[in-house]
Each structure stands twice: as structure tokens, then as C-alpha cells.
Amino acid sequence: MQASKSRTNVSARLQRILLRLSYGFHRVWIRKKRISWVVGVYEISSMAHHMARLIPGSYSVVLSTKSYYAFDYDWKLPVRKPSVWAELLAGLMGPLLLGRLLCQAEGFIFLGELGFLTMARDSRSFEFDFIKAHGGKIVCYFVGTDIRSPMLLREKEKETGLISLGTQLVTLDPKFGSEMHERSRRELARVAEEFADAIFSYSVDQLSYLKSPTIPVTYFFPDEDFVFNEEKFENPKRIVVVHAPSSPEIKGTALVRTAIQNLKSAGYDFEYVELIGVDNESVRRTLASAHIVLNQFYAYVPGVFGIEALASNCVVLMSADERVEPDLPKGSNLAWIVTTYEQVEENLKRVLDHPSQMAGQAKRGQNWALENVSFSKAGPRFREELDRLLPNTR
């Protein structure tokens, strides 16, 4: 244990040295900043790709290996599968990239909790301090477990009466319920508030130790990827119900399977499609012809899969609820069927019993997505937030 910690400390010091050398070298040769925002350094549910597309003059960096997405980035780790080699390469390139980009870019948008200095265990404190000391802006964009405190969420359960992701995470892995994990969330929040020029997060779904006001998280979905397939609701031969959990344990998959089995035993005839470990392109193809989507049942917000389902003109059942999460746009609860973990079978049965109402519900959901998360609507609102930080680059 001690030897492992010592090796980590040595690796972190080496990365800091590489960062200083890289910055010193590139500062001599780079005279003009041509990049507005660097977006990265890890892909989370296509957010890095979509965000970079929306920001003029941006530069996307991905230091991780992801098999679900086949996007192009301005720089990505040239290794597809996780390995020791991939970790070593990310450890080498991270500080070298940061040193160069700090000479080229006005600001950095960090998705999640990780940074360029992959071996650091300081909640990005050194990295953020270095960026700020050399004139860079910092945006922290938290999207879930990266900032969420299971302990605080479990306290919130007493108020809402609903089992939350806090409890599910601890059930999935006891480490999420440890004091060590809580300390890491406190430190991550402290560092973000000390250095970040703006912080995006959900105030309840991502309940955390952040004390200062945050900007609500925005999802982004390309206008051209919306699927306008209302014909699928016109006398379908068989209703298609889809569930595609990224993490079955915390999305309510066990509840979904029980509901499906009970309804089929009761004589309901529909096709159930469950997608786990499938690439994003395959998921979206399935959604295009799906009628009903069972999303997640412990979260207070839609999540990326929920957005994809709404954009694909599906009737969506999920626990996202504007009455619990005030950062959701007003009227959100009309866009989907609010369904707690106790209501999965009941609400799915109600939809199946009234097939003529599906098209209208799906249309309300798609209209919500067009207004709130499409590139054409959400993009300008997001850029306005960034423009406040870099007014001279508009």
C-alpha cells in the first residue's frame, strides 16, 4: 500500500515537471492564442464531442479509451482498449498537451472530475492553480457521480421519501458510502470553488458539497439527429419497449425486468428490447423504431439516454421530476411520464392500455427536447454563459 502510494507520488511529480517543461517550451514559439476553449479531457456520454461542436474555435481532447462512441476529436488517445500502455500514454501526453494548450487557449472546460495530470491525487488543485497562474479560465462541468455525495443524497431521501442514486451507489459498491469517498467529494468541491470561473451542476440530483451558486447542466443534441417518425404509432403490429442501461444496478434494471415479466404473464403482447454494452449508434437505431422507453428510476434528471429517447419520438418513463430537481425547465414533467421505482409496472401498463395516447405523449417529449436540448436552442444559451467569461473572444 505504502509502495503504491509512493509510486503515485513520484509519477505525479514527474507529470508536474513535464507540464512546466512543455509550457516553457511552447511559450517561446506560440505568440497568439487561437483556441477559445479546450474541452475534455474525458468523454462522458458524448458530451465532449457535442460541446466542442457548439463552441467556435474550440479544441477537444480525450485521454480515455471509449468503445461506445466513434467520434473524432482534435486529439484523442490512439489506443482503443484500456491497458497499461494506454495509462502510460495518457500519463505522458496529459501534461505535454496541457502545457501546449495553455499557450494556445483562453480557457478549459473540464467534464467530470479528472484532469490532464492523470496521476495527481489532489482533486486537480495543482493543475487548476497552474492554469490560473498563467491566465487561463476554468469551467467545471459536473455530470453525475463525479461530484454527487451519496451521504447527502441519502439525507435527502428522508425529505423526498424516494430512494435515490445515493443509496443505489452504496449498494453497488460500499466504497461510495465510505468517509474516504465523502472526503474526496468535499475536496473536489473545494478545489472547484477555489479556482473555477464557472461551475455547472444539478443542485439536487447531483447534491454535493458545492456551496456557491451553480449553473444548471445542459444536455446537447444535434438537430439533425432528431427522429420524426410519427408513423410508427399508426397501427403498429407490435409495441416495442426499450431499456438500455449504462449501469443496470443504478438505473433500475431489476425493476424493469420484473415489470416486463409480470405484464407478459398477464397477457400483454409487446416486444421488449434490452441493450447493455451496445455502441451508441446501435442504441439510436433501435430508438428510431421504438414506441416506449424505460429510462432510469432513481435519478431526478433525464440523463443522456433519456434525451436521446425523447429526441427519437418515444414515450419515455423515468423518475426525472421537476418537483424534486428545480434546475429542470418548467413544464418538464409533461414531456415524459414521471415514474418512480415503485411505479414502473403500473405506469407501463397504463401506457399499454391506451395506445392511442402514445403519439401525443411522444410528441410532447420531442417538442421539449427541441426547445431545451437541441443544438439550435441549447447551444446559444450555453455560449452566452461562456461569452461572459471570455468577452473579448465573441
Side-chain angles (χ1 to χ4, degrees), residues 114-152:
L114 302 175
F116 287 86
L117 303 188
T118 58
M119 299 307 297
R121 297 295 182 269
D122 62 352
S123 300
R124 302 182 291 201
S125 180
F126 178 87
E127 185 169 338
F128 282 5
D129 188 36
F130 194 88
I131 292 172
K132 298 295 289 187
H134 295 89
K137 297 287 186 179
I138 294 174
V139 170
C140 288
Y141 207 100
F142 295 113
V143 290
T145 304
D146 44 25
I147 192 66
R148 183 183 286 129
S149 162
M151 185 178 295
L152 294 179

Side-chain angles (χ1 to χ4, degrees), residues 54-87:
L54 286 169
I55 305 172
S58 65
Y59 188 95
S60 55
V61 176
V62 172
L63 289 173
S64 61
T65 54
K66 289 286 185 181
S67 57
Y68 297 145
Y69 301 99
F71 299 132
D72 288 325
Y73 304 92
D74 293 298
W75 194 96
K76 64 180 179 180
L77 198 69
V79 181
R80 290 288 295 174
K81 297 181 179 180
S83 63
V84 173
W85 164 240
E87 291 181 14

Side-chain angles (χ1 to χ4, degrees), residues 22-34 99-105:
S22 177
Y23 178 78
F25 173 81
H26 288 101
R27 185 177 59 177
V28 173
W29 301 102
I30 299 174
R31 298 296 183 182
K32 186 175 182 180
K33 295 195 173 186
R34 300 182 182 277
R100 171 172 68 83
L101 292 171
L102 188 52
C103 297
Q104 295 176 295

Side-chain angles (χ1 to χ4, degrees), residues 223-290:
D223 292 61
E224 65 270 18
D225 289 344
F226 277 76
V227 178
F228 301 95
N229 184 16
E230 298 177 21
E231 294 80 11
K232 64 184 177 182
F233 293 107
E234 297 176 2
N235 301 314
K237 293 181 179 179
R238 206 169 186 216
I239 299 297
V240 178
V241 180
V242 174
H243 179 55
S246 56
S247 178
E249 294 85 356
I250 64 174
K251 303 295 185 180
T253 299
L255 302 170
V256 168
R257 290 171 179 169
T258 298
I260 296 298
Q261 182 178 357
N262 289 344
L263 289 171
K264 288 201 169 188
S265 297
Y268 284 84
D269 182 28
F270 58 88
E271 180 182 355
Y272 174 62
V273 180
E274 185 174 289
L275 304 174
I276 298 178
V278 177
D279 65 89
N280 184 251
E281 191 63 34
S282 297
V283 169
R284 285 172 48 199
R285 279 200 303 269
T286 302
L287 288 177
S289 57

